[in-house]
Amino acid sequence: MSMFLDQVTIDVKAGKGGDGMVAFRREKYVPDGGPAGGDGGRGGDVILVVDEGLRTLMDFRYNRHFRATPGENGMSKGMHGRGAEDTYVSVPPGTTVRDADTGTLIGDLIENGQELIVAHGGRGGRGNTRFASPRNPAPELAENGEPGQERNIELELKVLADIGLVGFPSVGKSTILSVISSARPKIGAYHFTTLVPNLGMVTTSDGRSFAAADLPGLIEGASQGVGLGTQFLRHIERTRVILHVIDMSGMEGREPYEDYQAINNELGTHNLRLLERPQIIVANKMDMPNAEENLKKFKEQLKKDKEDEFADDIPVFAISAITKQGLDNLLNATADLLEVTPEFLLYDEDVEEDTVNYGFQSDEPEFTISREPDATWVLSGEKLEKLFKMTNFDHDETVMRFARQLRSMGVDEALRARGAKDGDLVRIDKFEFEFVD
């Protein structure tokens, strides 16, 4: 699995049912009052519910035990106990739920508000009223409530980063990431060269959380013409806010403002539409001797270039990752910006132009899938082959576009539906690639 997994095991215990009551009526003029014990109430369920405001499983690192309340016991005078309230536990969209002991999939939680009962509350015990019979009109008999279901469940979330850190290799992106993210969940190994995006879960001082990725391959990879893996691309596509990290010390004999422009040009040439994302400039290494002076110069140049396309009132935060100065403000501002930044709809116009203008008859299927004896999946179909022939595989950009076109035609879904697994070989004409789920 080449996505970054945030994973946690929690234990849940539903409420036990209330106990039934043994009681008798004591009424004037009724020598032996009949049975009057009520039933116990139902125990509460533990229910997972999707909250689209959540991005990570961070909350579960500190709280792994969830207990629902028991039902109320039955009472005398035939009064039944009240059923308990259910316990709701919020999870982020995209959470997969398994039984940790058996590995069985219990459910996939995707839609906002979707619910999944992971532990059922126990049934209330019956009171002695229920056991009366002509033979035994005054039974001293009642049931206790049924115990609530108890189980360990594993939550797994494939995380895509909301925040991308960009900047030259020496500016301190990795240091920042290691300082701001306390948790170090598993990081998927990416297969293109040695450029591994580091991911971390970040929690702000006021308890909001998000995922941040250092996007190294973007810059170094692009300038060396290294192919960016498609999984990595998904991270970049998903990034909603860019933290542009700049080394303000100028120690390496570099000019901070030139670096800033160089990276922005790089983002622009990549056409990953990253310049549409809101940016925050992070002036790092402010603990160094010349940093203050350089920052002043930098801000002046930024002002001067106002008419420049990049410089729409971009906030600048001065920090030092080493001394941790300024980090709180930066993270809170980042979380604020995330709250008002919509998810990006990717490549709408690409999809438009690619699916409409070919003049094919609309009733023919866009592609067909067959399977070879050696288990390779083969994609064919006039439209697909035409797209394939119109793609220049020497350029990453066009390869990425081809991948997007396939995705928008529904090829990924169709392969998945036919049972394609991560790593299976897929062939179009003479071109083979791995299916990445």
Side-chain angles (χ1 to χ4, degrees), residues 112-379:
N112 191 36
Q114 188 181 342
E115 295 184 2
L116 174 68
I117 299 178
V118 286
H120 288 273
R123 181 174 69 71
R126 293 173 293 179
N128 67 342
T129 316
R130 303 284 187 143
F131 293 98
S133 65
R135 188 176 304 146
N136 183 0
E140 295 207 12
L141 173 65
E143 284 176 327
N144 282 343
E146 176 187 24
Q149 194 180 6
E150 204 175 337
R151 67 205 298 197
N152 291 320
I153 58 174
E154 184 178 82
L155 305 179
E156 202 173 78
L157 178 66
K158 298 187 178 92
V159 181
L160 290 162
D162 300 298
I163 304 287
L165 293 138
V166 302
F168 279 96
S170 56
V171 297
K173 299 191 297 291
S174 314
T175 316
I176 292 178
L177 198 60
S178 64
V179 176
I180 60 179
S181 55
S182 42
R184 291 245 137 221
K186 285 188 217 156
I187 291 173
Y190 286 74
H191 301 304
F192 51 97
T193 71
T194 53
L195 308 175
V196 180
N198 292 310
L199 286 127
M201 312 308 275
V202 180
T203 303
T204 61
S205 54
D206 55 13
R208 294 173 291 175
S209 65
F210 52 82
D214 169 6
L215 304 181
L218 186 65
I219 309 309
E220 300 95 288
S223 45
Q224 298 156 13
V226 174
L228 290 179
T230 48
Q231 307 93 314
F232 190 56
L233 205 69
R234 285 163 68 180
H235 275 286
I236 299 175
E237 288 176 353
R238 166 72 179 268
T239 305
R240 292 189 291 155
V241 171
I242 300 272
L243 294 189
H244 194 139
V245 186
I246 295 169
D247 171 358
M248 273 300 157
S249 71
M251 291 289 278
E252 316 260 325
R254 305 172 63 142
E255 219 289 294
Y257 197 71
E258 283 170 17
D259 282 4
Y260 171 67
Q261 288 176 307
I263 296 279
N264 273 334
N265 291 334
E266 192 76 69
L267 295 183
T269 47
H270 256 284
N271 186 26
L272 293 168
R273 300 186 36 188
L274 287 177
L275 290 175
E276 294 170 25
R277 315 301 202 242
Q279 278 196 18
I280 291 179
I281 294 172
V282 181
N284 191 19
K285 308 199 185 175
M286 290 306 293
D287 51 317
M288 303 299 267
N290 303 324
E292 286 297 339
E293 212 169 296
N294 288 340
L295 179 61
K296 219 164 108 189
K297 242 175 16 200
F298 183 89
K299 285 182 167 165
E300 281 161 15
Q301 278 168 301
L302 198 59
K303 227 193 211 111
K304 207 163 64 208
D305 279 2
K306 232 354 189 332
E307 50 283 10
D308 184 279
E309 59 180 314
F310 303 138
D312 272 355
D313 278 339
I314 300 177
V316 179
F317 281 83
I319 67 154
S320 159
I322 301 290
T323 65
K324 300 196 165 87
Q325 139 213 351
L327 284 174
D328 262 5
N329 295 343
L330 169 65
L331 297 183
N332 286 327
T334 304
D336 292 343
L337 189 51
L338 267 182
E339 278 167 20
V340 297
T341 306
E343 301 238 339
F344 284 81
L345 290 168
L346 295 154
Y347 313 113
D348 326 55
E349 68 287 331
D350 261 5
V351 174
E352 268 320 300
E353 98 192 34
D354 294 337
T355 45
V356 180
N357 303 337
Y358 287 115
F360 287 127
Q361 302 310 307
S362 56
D363 52 5
E364 63 163 313
E366 295 200 326
F367 57 89
T368 54
I369 299 179
S370 53
R371 195 151 201 201
E372 300 273 291
D374 68 357
T376 307
W377 299 94
V378 179
L379 300 176

Side-chain angles (χ1 to χ4, degrees), residues 386-398:
K386 181 164 182 184
L387 281 181
F388 170 74
K389 287 185 182 125
M390 290 166 66
T391 301
N392 176 342
F393 286 88
D394 297 334
H395 298 290
D396 292 335
E397 212 40 67
T398 51

